[in-house]
Amino acid sequence: AIATATASANTNIALIKYWGKVDEAQAIPATSSLSLTLGGTRTTTTVSFDGGDGAADSVTINGASPSAVELERVTRFLDLVRARSGVTAPATITSRASVPLAAGFAALAAAASRAAGMDLDGRELSRLARRGSGSATRSVFGGLVLWNAGHDDASSYAEPVACEMDLAMVVVVLSQRYKP
């Protein structure tokens, strides 16, 4: 049976940045960071481990094919999911975002892990999303979120922070271009 799953995640804005990584391969940050997850900035991704049209993953983002660099990054992330789950089939991925893709790897992590039969809790999902994009680890949760820097894969994860204030943020997208 072909396994398919769809997941959504919202963009987050760092209030306190993590200032680089001490381990690029594991995406372990130099310091912890704090962010606010924004409503109305949804990325929705569907993943199907269906074998696609051949031996390669098929990716569509906002109706278009990604660049070779983006496709390689997504495939590298899916290879991590495949290695952890035992799934071997190529995937078909369709993603739509209302803002420049920032929460993309949080949505991809949730959809791909579910489609691969993995049942991850919030901490585990945040650790997986971190391997695709550092900020994606925080997009797994809503509201105020702390990314614990940690010192290895198991200890570097995000978690929601209780906050009694009614926080809000206004965001204006000035450019659809990716940052260099």
Side-chain angles (χ1 to χ4, degrees):
I2 295 171
T4 300
T6 299
S8 295
N10 288 327
T11 303
N12 71 78
I13 301 292
L15 304 174
I16 299 173
K17 295 202 161 276
Y18 62 84
W19 298 109
K21 297 176 185 152
V22 294
D23 182 335
E24 281 289 333
Q26 296 279 323
I28 308 295
T31 61
S32 296
S33 65
L34 187 69
S35 67
L36 184 61
T37 305
L38 307 175
T41 59
R42 185 165 302 274
T43 297
T44 301
T45 301
T46 299
V47 175
S48 179
F49 286 102
D50 59 2
D53 289 331
D57 296 316
S58 170
V59 180
T60 304
I61 301 172
N62 288 335
S65 296
S67 71
V69 171
E70 292 168 323
L71 178 59
E72 180 183 339
R73 194 168 168 206
V74 169
T75 294
R76 201 169 44 244
F77 183 79
L78 290 172
D79 286 345
L80 181 64
V81 171
R82 284 187 274 260
R84 291 182 180 187
S85 68
V87 169
T88 58
T92 300
I93 301 103
T94 304
S95 191
R96 295 208 70 68
S98 62
V99 294
L101 278 175
F105 277 97
L108 178 60
S113 64
R114 287 183 201 137
M118 301 166 75
D119 183 22
L120 304 180
D121 65 20
R123 182 179 293 187
E124 293 167 326
L125 186 57
S126 134
R127 289 177 44 225
L128 177 61
R130 185 194 78 236
R131 297 295 299 276
S133 165
S135 63
T137 196
R138 298 182 310 237
S139 285
V140 168
F141 303 101
L144 200 59
V145 179
L146 171 67
W147 177 8
N148 298 291
H151 56 275
D152 61 10
D153 181 56
S155 61
S156 183
Y157 59 88
E159 61 186 337
V161 175
C163 180
E164 294 183 23
M165 295 183 291
D166 187 17
L167 298 175
M169 187 178 292
V170 175
V171 176
V172 177
V173 176
L174 298 176
S175 172
Q176 293 289 326
R177 292 180 297 181
Y178 287 98
K179 65 183 179 184

